[in-house]
Amino acid sequence: MNPGHPLDFSFEDAERAQLMAWVNLSADAKIDFFEEMVELAYMSGALTPERLALRDAVPR
């Protein structure tokens, strides 16, 4: 990576930068993000009590 040229930013560099940004977030921000994702899944119908019950069922 050449820090002087903005287009010399590889996928691995972007992945590392994103991971470090996530690591540096506060616990409160991570919890807020998780709660928003759960709410989004619930509001879209992807997360329903029936599906949760199926997931938590004891295997035979």
Side-chain angles (χ1 to χ4, degrees):
M1 178 176 120
N2 181 0
H5 197 278
L7 296 180
D8 287 340
F9 200 72
S10 70
F11 176 80
E12 289 79 16
D13 295 331
E15 189 175 37
R16 188 177 311 109
Q18 185 178 19
L19 178 61
M20 291 310 298
W22 179 257
V23 167
N24 291 326
L25 278 179
S26 68
D28 289 338
K30 291 175 186 173
I31 291 169
D32 289 343
F33 175 79
F34 176 76
E35 288 176 346
E36 288 178 23
M37 292 302 104
V38 170
E39 182 180 7
L40 178 65
Y42 181 77
M43 298 301 271
S44 70
L47 185 65
T48 63
E50 295 83 20
R51 290 188 73 174
L52 288 174
L54 289 173
R55 184 198 69 192
D56 295 336
V58 177
R60 295 179 191 207

